[in-house]
Amino acid sequence: MKTSAPKESAFVERRRGDWDELEALIHRAPRGLKKIEPLAIARLSPLYRDVCADLARARAAKYSAPLLEYLDTLTASAHALLYGRPTRALATRLDKTERLPVLAAFPRAVRRRWRAVLLASALFFVPMLIGVLVSTLDPTFAFKIVPQAMLEPLTEAYAKGFADGRTSGDGALMAGFYINNNVGIALRCFALGIFGGLGSAIYLVHNGLSIGAILGYVASQGAGGNIVTFIVGHGSLELGAIVLAGGAGLSIGWSVVAPGDKRRVDALQDAARDVVVIVLGAAVMLLMAAAIEAFWSGSSVPTAIKRSVGGALAVLVLAYLGLAGRR
Amino acid sequence: MSEGVLIDTVVSIETPEHIVFQHRVAGPARRAMAHLVDLVLCYGAVFVVGVLIAIAALGASSIGAAIDDALKLGVGLLLVLLFAAQWVWFAAWESLRGDTPGKRAFGLRVVTTTGRPIGFTQAALRNLLRAADLLPSAYLAGVVAMAISPRFQRIGDLVAGTLVVADARVARSQQRFALWPPPYPHELAALPTEVVLDADERSAIELFLRRVGALGVAREQELASMIVESFARRHGFQGPILDPVRTLALLYDRAANTGRVDAPPSSRTGLAA
């Protein structure tokens, strides 16, 4: 069978004009179609379909590899420009009729993953309770978990109370530290869940135990009231966010361990897309917690006010996560 | 797919037009270089801000302002920037335009496994999971994942459903095979007016000619001399074969680039299909 295919050079000469035009269009719109005028967009579609046909023709005629590669790249770039971003993204799951769809999507995702969040709470709060109890009874236990060199100055600071307050400079410094440290911990607590959930579990248990040990030790030295006053202000947001990030990590870990009837990688991708809003929500909670911890928790505001505001905030956080966005 | 696509660094994507195009998947080395560039850029920016803060604090102290508070504010700001360098830089760039400055410098781009540009969710996920790829140090987990995955995906890519591809944005004229130096009169005299190579022969010779210069002269001559006799005789080459590589190049050039004679399709149609 003989088919009729022009020589490569003749083919290139004939089609070069269109290719150059398409290439110029693509270069003018590296970030999408918004930057180019309607007339040019109208040109894009026929040029793209022609280059698709050229690619098929060039492959059938087995033209040289560089030409095929060039046409491949041109087709791919034009395809990316014309078809745009995937629509399976976060935005499509948001209900656009609601006033603040993201604010509702976050607690919904948390409730959808309630089993993982419950497990994460247990992995965090049970070791924390153990830490509190054991180091209250035996303060030296705390040294095994948190270095003594860190615990003693901490205890002294809490024993002093908050009469001096904090300077604005201290507040800003600590806010930066909390953002860098705490948000980083939460994000890592999520990411390491990929290893069958083990990374998240270790982070949760370790952080719970450490915080519990500090609480118990400081209490055993007689400054328990002060440290509770300090933590209650931001604790609901901060500890809650770590637990939520850990729950999201356990979710992706579980999808790898038990993918059900999906392929493992598909189950993983579905779970990750489902929980990413939890992780981002937890990060926002931690940013808020950092501001409170830096400028409020250590301030000279009277204890009674601090405790009631902290308690009210905790109720608010739980109510938001439990009730917001219910249909 | 036809031959030449068996190379495992290529991933095929089918469009709604039922055209399959190929992305060249980027390997670990090129991605590591791009990553280094990004690290230098974002931590360089943090460093510059740090120096500015130090200078500002010194300036404040010379006019007697509260240096302590100003400096602490500066350090707080620096910590926030360090956080952003680690967790925000990559995700922000990639969700805005599908690459980072480092990737752009090396012609790399992040696309979904279906070949489309990535969105915010994918950019966030693949960069959050960077924390897992980094373990235990120096991206060891990421490199292992890339070695196992057929498409060089690190853990973050697997979770987000993304690929890093290399764009071949090289001028077409530089890419095509060109006969150099141009044929001499005595060579033209020896060449037949038309050479008809079938598609398989043409692509085999082309692949060989593209590698000339990288194989070593002796090996090139040896390879070319294996086939040049039969080719030259079959196509009526009228002259002594002094240089087998040059003779093959002349025949190829005549077949692919000169004139407009239709070539038959593959002689091994059954195999190629």
Side-chain angles (χ1 to χ4, degrees):
Chain A
M1 190 188 78
K2 273 211 166 197
T3 50
S4 179
K7 292 246 170 173
E8 180 171 336
S9 56
F11 175 71
V12 171
E13 280 317 311
R14 202 175 64 206
R15 300 290 307 135
R16 171 170 282 169
D18 277 358
W19 298 343
D20 287 343
E21 190 185 349
L22 183 58
E23 203 173 344
L25 266 177
I26 292 166
H27 276 285
R28 265 167 61 203
R31 288 181 212 182
L33 291 173
K34 281 176 198 155
K35 291 275 165 67
I36 53 180
E37 64 273 20
L39 219 60
I41 296 179
R43 263 313 270 155
L44 186 62
S45 173
L47 283 173
Y48 165 70
R49 267 179 274 121
D50 286 350
V51 82
C52 281
D54 289 337
L55 176 58
R57 222 173 287 153
R59 263 198 211 128
K62 303 212 175 172
Y63 289 140
S64 69
L67 178 66
L68 290 179
E69 198 171 307
Y70 169 77
L71 288 176
D72 251 345
T73 308
L74 193 59
T75 313
S77 312
H79 174 266
L81 186 60
L82 203 59
Y83 285 91
R85 298 183 166 207
T87 47
R88 298 182 299 175
L90 186 63
T92 54
R93 275 207 302 279
L94 300 180
D95 185 352
K96 289 284 162 48
T97 58
E98 284 172 323
R99 232 178 328 162
L100 292 164
V102 182
L103 278 185
F106 170 44
R108 268 180 208 145
V110 171
R111 290 195 296 269
R112 216 168 35 236
R113 295 282 167 178
W114 66 271
R115 284 187 203 85
V117 172
L118 204 66
L119 180 59
S121 311
L123 285 170
F124 183 79
F125 288 113
V126 170
M128 185 168 142
L129 269 180
I130 293 172
V132 171
L133 289 177
V134 176
S135 53
T136 315
L137 298 173
D138 172 18
T140 56
F141 170 76
F143 300 150
K144 289 179 192 149
I145 293 158
V146 185
Q148 190 169 3
M150 196 184 127
L151 271 173
E152 277 168 355
L154 205 65
T155 311
E156 271 171 46
Y158 283 118
K160 255 196 302 187
F162 307 107
D164 299 342
R166 268 181 178 171
T167 67
S168 57
D170 278 334
L173 175 64
M174 289 319 288
F177 172 76
Y178 295 138
I179 288 172
N180 190 0
N181 191 58
N182 297 356
V183 186
I185 287 178
L187 297 183
R188 232 168 265 124
C189 185
F190 161 69
L192 303 193
I194 183 74
F195 303 115
L198 283 180
S200 304
I202 290 170
Y203 257 86
L204 287 166
V205 170
H206 179 255
N207 274 288
L209 200 60
S210 307
I211 293 172
I214 293 173
L215 273 173
Y217 179 80
V218 173
S220 74
Q221 306 301 305
N226 281 347
I227 196 170
V228 167
T229 307
F230 181 79
I231 284 182
V232 79
H234 58 266
S236 52
L237 285 172
E238 188 173 286
L239 307 184
I242 300 262
V243 166
L244 291 181
L250 293 177
S251 293
I252 60 169
W254 183 246
S255 75
V256 177
V257 175
D261 49 9
K262 294 179 198 165
R263 285 197 313 157
R264 222 166 226 108
V265 67
D266 290 338
L268 174 62
Q269 286 171 10
D270 289 348
R273 266 198 297 273
D274 195 42
V275 299
V276 69
V277 65
I278 301 181
V279 182
L280 299 176
V284 173
M285 280 170 76
L286 281 166
L287 292 181
M288 287 155 63
I292 296 173
E293 186 171 3
F295 296 108
W296 167 268
S297 299
S299 70
S300 54
V301 176
T303 302
I305 296 180
K306 269 194 200 167
R307 287 189 177 178
S308 30
V309 169
L313 187 61
V315 172
L316 211 65
V317 169
L318 282 177
Y320 169 65
L321 291 176
L323 303 173
R326 275 197 192 275
R327 278 178 277 224
Chain B
M1 294 296 314
S2 58
E3 57 267 63
V5 191
L6 297 175
I7 311 162
D8 57 1
T9 54
V10 163
V11 57
S12 299
I13 282 149
E14 189 172 347
T15 74
E17 289 76 21
H18 300 295
I19 285 291
V20 176
F21 62 80
Q22 282 140 20
H23 274 308
R24 190 173 283 262
V25 181
R30 199 154 158 198
R31 288 175 65 173
M33 308 270 265
H35 189 65
L36 269 182
V37 171
D38 276 319
L39 287 185
V40 167
L41 281 177
C42 67
Y43 284 98
V46 174
F47 177 77
V48 168
V49 174
V51 170
L52 288 179
I53 286 171
I55 292 171
L58 283 176
S61 76
S62 68
I63 57 167
I67 179 167
D68 201 37
D69 268 6
L71 198 60
K72 279 176 177 164
L73 179 70
V75 175
L77 186 68
L78 213 55
L79 285 168
V80 173
L81 287 178
L82 278 174
F83 172 80
Q86 193 181 354
W87 294 102
V88 182
W89 169 274
F90 293 94
W93 280 113
E94 285 175 8
S95 67
L96 283 176
R97 47 169 229 197
D99 59 13
T100 59
K103 286 194 178 69
R104 177 157 288 206
F106 283 86
L108 303 181
R109 196 156 55 90
V110 188
V111 297
T112 68
T113 42
T114 50
R116 306 167 92 182
I118 64 166
F120 173 75
T121 311
Q122 280 115 339
L125 275 175
R126 73 186 296 278
N127 287 301
L128 280 171
L129 267 292
R130 198 176 281 284
D133 279 303
L134 272 166
L135 290 178
S137 69
Y139 282 96
L140 195 63
V143 171
V144 170
M146 283 169 95
I148 296 170
S149 125
R151 296 186 280 194
F152 282 140
Q153 289 168 294
R154 64 175 174 84
I155 295 171
D157 287 321
L158 290 169
V159 172
T162 54
L163 302 170
V164 177
V165 297
D167 278 339
R169 280 198 204 280
V170 189
R172 188 167 53 245
S173 54
Q174 290 167 4
Q175 276 193 347
R176 279 210 300 146
F177 170 77
L179 185 66
W180 190 258
Y184 297 109
H186 70 271
E187 288 173 334
L188 283 176
L191 267 178
T193 45
E194 66 173 79
V195 173
V196 180
L197 296 176
D198 77 30
D200 289 334
E201 292 167 341
R202 193 144 38 79
S203 62
I205 297 176
E206 189 232 326
L207 277 175
F208 168 71
L209 290 175
R210 284 175 76 200
R211 294 176 68 191
V212 163
L215 295 168
V217 176
R219 182 79 181 132
E220 283 159 11
Q221 298 293 342
E222 184 194 346
L223 283 170
S225 64
M226 287 168 157
I227 55 164
V228 74
E229 286 281 357
S230 71
F231 265 104
R233 210 175 314 121
R234 185 144 61 84
H235 296 292
F237 186 75
Q238 313 279 330
I241 299 165
L242 301 172
D243 179 345
V245 177
R246 176 75 180 169
T247 307
L248 269 186
L250 283 166
L251 287 167
Y252 174 84
D253 182 57
R254 179 54 50 108
N257 296 331
T258 323
R260 251 208 80 153
V261 181
D262 291 347
S266 168
S267 58
R268 298 181 287 126
T269 333
L271 282 174

